[in-house]
Amino acid sequence: MSSSAPAPAPDFSSLFQFLPIGAYRSSAAGEMLLANPALVRINGYEDERTMLIDVNRAHSDWYVAPEQRAHFQALLARDGYVRGLVSEVVRHADGRHLWINENAHAVRDAAGAVLYYEGTVEDITERVQAQEALARSEERLRLLTTQIPGMVFVVHVPDEGDPAYRFVSAGVRQIYGLTPEDVLRDPNVLSRYRHPDDAPRFADHIRRIHDGLPDIGFEYRIVLPDGTERWLYRRSDTVAREAGGQVRVGLLLDITDRKRAEIALHESEALWKLALDSAGDGVWDWNIGTGEEYVSPRIKAMYGYADDELLRGAHELDGRTHPDDVPQMLADRAAHFDGHMPVYRNEHRIRCKDGSWKWVLSRGMVIARDGQGRPLRMVGTHTDISDLKAAEAHQRALETQLRESQKMEAIGTLAGGVAHDFNNLLAAILGNLALAREDVGPDHLAQESLTEISRAAIRARQLVQQILAFSRRQTQELQRQPLLPLVEDALRLLRSLLPAGVHLNTRLGAAAMPVLADATQIQQVLMNLCTNAWQAMGAKPGDITVALRETPVDAALALRLGSIDPGTYVCLSVADNGPGMSADTQRRIFEPFFTTKAPGSGTGLGLSVVHGIVKAHRGAIAVHSVPGEGARFDVYLPLASTAATAEAPSVPVSGPVPAPAAAGRHIVYVDDYEALVFLAGRLLRKHGYRVTTFVSGEEALDWFRRAQEPVDLLVTDQNMPGMSGVDLVRAVRELRPSQRMAIVSGHVNESLVNEAHVVGVSDVLGKQDSMDALAESVRQLLDPE
């Protein structure tokens, strides 16, 4: 028998590389050998080699559920394959959580031994999140509809054919005695209950909806199996359009009781008035032609009068209306008479018999007109809303307390940032003072140190005054004052708050721009907007630009901004180059408790507080944003005619004299505060150190790349614009693996200590109160006891 060479095994390498989902091969011992580009992307890596090194040396499992790995291995050992295993995992590259769908099988030799494993990994995060969001939405809808009387429904109405219900609330049981599942299975089941006499009108109503006419509501009858007849009110609105039809959300109410009441009321007008009166609202019936008005006993009792104490004339109640409320009441009444408003509705105050004022909601409708359309008769009700108005006043008081709470919360956040600058200033004051005492003599070296002391003392005093002014509790006090100094003061505080990598740019001009404003609240607006801007950037670097300009607002712009008065305004703008916002987010950005941050990362109150403050200043706020292109908030405040300015005088400050120290090695010192860099370098040199100083991490790193001379110790500040202290240490570690380094911060916390430890820094120091303390810390770091 002749033999032939075995056919070559098919080569699937190109398929492996171009699969749209992740694919891999791992050894029998579990080491990953190959990964296609899709799997590399899923894991967040740039190339296969980096991923394989990282994944194979990782000590932690990537499954969120600890038992999932054992479950995967058990399936593989039992069946030789795993199919459709859905798991939540954590990417090794950046810690991001994903949902994946895995398939795997074992490849064995002729003897049955495992040669290797092959598998696929599909990123289904968006699908899982969509399913979870849908489930949450459906649950919220179910819970919401349980609180709504009647039947809430979502129905797809095709251009041709029968409608199909997609959601039916539990309220269908109260109306038809059916379950939601009954209706979902058979969308025609409800039509079988319609009263035969109303079927043509119902069909005409549905036809009008198909023709695109608005659904203004429809009343019809149904007949239950036991012969009971009920009146229903049905209304729906289109919420989406799909190919071949539309999706409508609607409400079905049982109005049997109301219809029976209407029938009875039509039989007897007196009974009709009595029914309304007994429902809790007082009834009035006004003959506009004669001026006579029937006022029910309940209305009279509402104001403390007996039934025979008020005359039968419309002027009776009008004359007891609060003078401030009369113009709007007459305007609302005229709008209804002229047909501009279908129903008359107005809130106003009425003077009671005892002299007190009571808030009422007056509602009514013209039920008869003459041939020229002039109103002849109007009926309506009065509802006592005094408690509601009191609740609204209480709510406004709570909003004021909320703004105060937000302000104090902002102060707490500011404290850490302010401490950074304050420690720098304090160190500059004490250090320069010590040097000044040493330098006093005929060579006049002390003059330089005394100048530095004066500058630092003035800045420290202003900083403390700003914090105290910003945190004091007070009611809104609108005063004519220039806006420019308020903005500059707030920006000085903000510079201490901004994280490393966020740059603050200003375009303020020189004009004072007087406004009628509460200084504390205006500064809170700016702080909240800037804080919102840098938080939107996440951990990424970026720019915040604060601008101030005078701008005219014409009638068209005033209407778009919220019906403010036209005129000349000061526009305060806060812009960032962050991720921007979608149109949906912009529509909800000022809603209380609305936030796009992760749970626990924000209250969603900051921008709503800003909106309230701006409105209280008779101004307006507008947002402009495009996803991926940043966002800009424009605050418009009316320009005032005059404003007062004031400057705080400087006060000289003195401090203790630092003690001398001894050393003899090369120190590199980095801090973004120039005065402190100058002082630290000068003092350390006096102690015998050779010192090289820089005012930014970028400058220091460039020097390390070029210089060959040894450095005994690198001391760097943590909170610096651009490159932070940890970033600098990480970069220098790559250049000089054994370099001794220390980080100094005015806000040391566990997160900073852990981050520094990861990059190989064991020494994280708090900002020293004096230069002597710095020298002593340097000595201890170089020569630990």
Side-chain angles (χ1 to χ4, degrees), residues 3 29 36 101 200 272-274 286 388 416 451 495 513 518 537 544 579 619 650 656 677 698 707 736 762 773:
S3 62
N36 73 340
N101 183 10
W272 170 76
K273 292 178 180 178
L274 180 62
W286 179 21
L388 176 61
T451 300
R495 294 183 192 277
M513 302 185 189
D518 183 302
M537 298 176 188
I544 297 176
S650 61
V677 169
E698 290 82 358
R736 301 188 181 189
S762 58

Side-chain angles (χ1 to χ4, degrees), residues 401-569:
Q401 294 176 9
L402 175 61
R403 286 196 295 267
E404 184 70 20
S405 175
Q406 285 290 107
K407 180 186 69 179
M408 298 310 296
E409 182 180 346
I411 285 295
T413 303
L414 277 173
V418 172
H420 174 75
D421 267 6
F422 188 78
N423 285 340
N424 286 345
L425 295 168
L426 184 60
I429 293 170
L430 298 177
N432 276 299
L433 182 58
L435 293 174
R437 291 174 176 173
E438 293 179 9
D439 293 340
V440 170
D443 53 4
H444 301 291
L445 291 176
Q447 188 61 38
E448 183 178 14
S449 295
L450 292 174
T451 300
E452 291 295 324
I453 291 172
S454 176
R455 291 175 181 172
I458 292 172
R459 283 196 61 196
R461 181 179 181 276
Q462 291 174 342
L463 195 61
V464 173
Q465 287 179 338
Q466 291 162 14
I467 294 175
L468 293 176
F470 189 72
S471 63
R472 69 181 185 269
R473 294 180 179 272
Q474 60 182 20
T475 58
Q476 187 182 62
E477 296 181 0
L478 301 182
Q479 298 179 351
R480 293 184 182 275
Q481 53 191 310
L483 184 59
L484 180 60
L486 300 182
V487 173
E488 290 174 336
D489 287 347
L491 292 178
R492 277 192 284 271
L493 287 173
L494 184 65
R495 294 183 192 277
S496 303
L497 173 66
L498 292 178
V502 177
H503 297 274
L504 182 63
N505 307 311
T506 58
R507 295 200 301 268
L508 305 180
M513 302 185 189
V515 293
L516 190 64
D518 183 302
T520 300
Q521 292 187 358
I522 293 301
Q523 289 180 332
Q524 184 180 0
V525 166
L526 182 57
M527 298 299 294
N528 282 6
L529 291 177
C530 290
T531 301
N532 187 72
W534 71 256
Q535 288 179 346
M537 298 176 188
K540 298 180 181 179
D543 294 314
I544 297 176
T545 301
V546 177
L548 197 61
R549 70 182 188 278
E550 189 174 311
T551 182
V553 174
D554 58 20
L557 178 58
L559 183 62
R560 291 198 301 271
L561 290 174
S563 299
I564 60 176
D565 296 330
T568 304
Y569 283 73

Side-chain angles (χ1 to χ4, degrees), residues 527-750:
M527 298 299 294
N528 282 6
L529 291 177
C530 290
T531 301
N532 187 72
W534 71 256
Q535 288 179 346
M537 298 176 188
K540 298 180 181 179
D543 294 314
I544 297 176
T545 301
V546 177
L548 197 61
R549 70 182 188 278
E550 189 174 311
T551 182
V553 174
D554 58 20
L557 178 58
L559 183 62
R560 291 198 301 271
L561 290 174
S563 299
I564 60 176
D565 296 330
T568 304
Y569 283 73
V570 177
C571 181
L572 173 62
S573 298
V574 176
D576 64 76
N577 58 355
M581 293 176 285
S582 66
D584 289 338
T585 299
Q586 292 181 57
R587 280 192 292 269
R588 301 188 59 196
I589 197 67
F590 297 112
E591 291 181 13
F593 306 106
F594 173 77
T595 178
T596 57
K597 302 183 180 70
S601 300
T603 62
L605 293 173
L607 289 178
S608 62
V609 170
V610 167
H611 185 270
I613 293 175
V614 173
K615 285 294 184 182
H617 282 73
R618 303 183 68 181
I621 183 168
V623 58
H624 310 274
S625 181
V626 176
E629 298 182 14
R632 188 183 83 244
F633 288 84
D634 292 333
V635 175
Y636 293 82
L637 299 173
L639 187 68
S641 58
T642 61
T645 59
E647 295 185 359
S650 61
V651 177
V653 180
S654 61
V657 179
R665 299 177 185 175
H666 186 193
I667 309 297
V668 172
Y669 186 89
V670 185
D671 196 300
D672 62 306
Y673 185 40
E674 294 184 8
L676 192 57
V677 169
F678 167 81
L679 184 61
R682 188 174 176 188
L683 183 75
L684 290 174
R685 292 186 186 98
K686 278 183 172 289
H687 282 280
Y689 294 101
R690 185 160 59 92
V691 184
T692 304
T693 60
F694 300 96
V695 294
S696 73
E698 290 82 358
E699 292 181 7
L701 180 59
D702 183 64
W703 182 87
F704 272 103
R705 287 171 176 161
R706 292 183 288 101
Q708 301 298 321
E709 60 185 297
V711 175
D712 295 286
L713 178 64
L714 165 63
V715 180
T716 176
D717 185 30
Q718 163 62 12
N719 192 14
M720 299 184 293
M723 178 174 282
S724 68
V726 170
D727 294 336
L728 175 59
V729 167
R730 184 183 293 110
V732 173
R733 181 69 67 199
E734 294 181 359
L735 300 174
R736 301 188 181 189
S738 60
Q739 178 64 58
R740 178 77 170 176
M741 291 178 279
I743 289 178
V744 178
S745 176
H747 198 51
V748 177
N749 52 42
E750 184 178 358

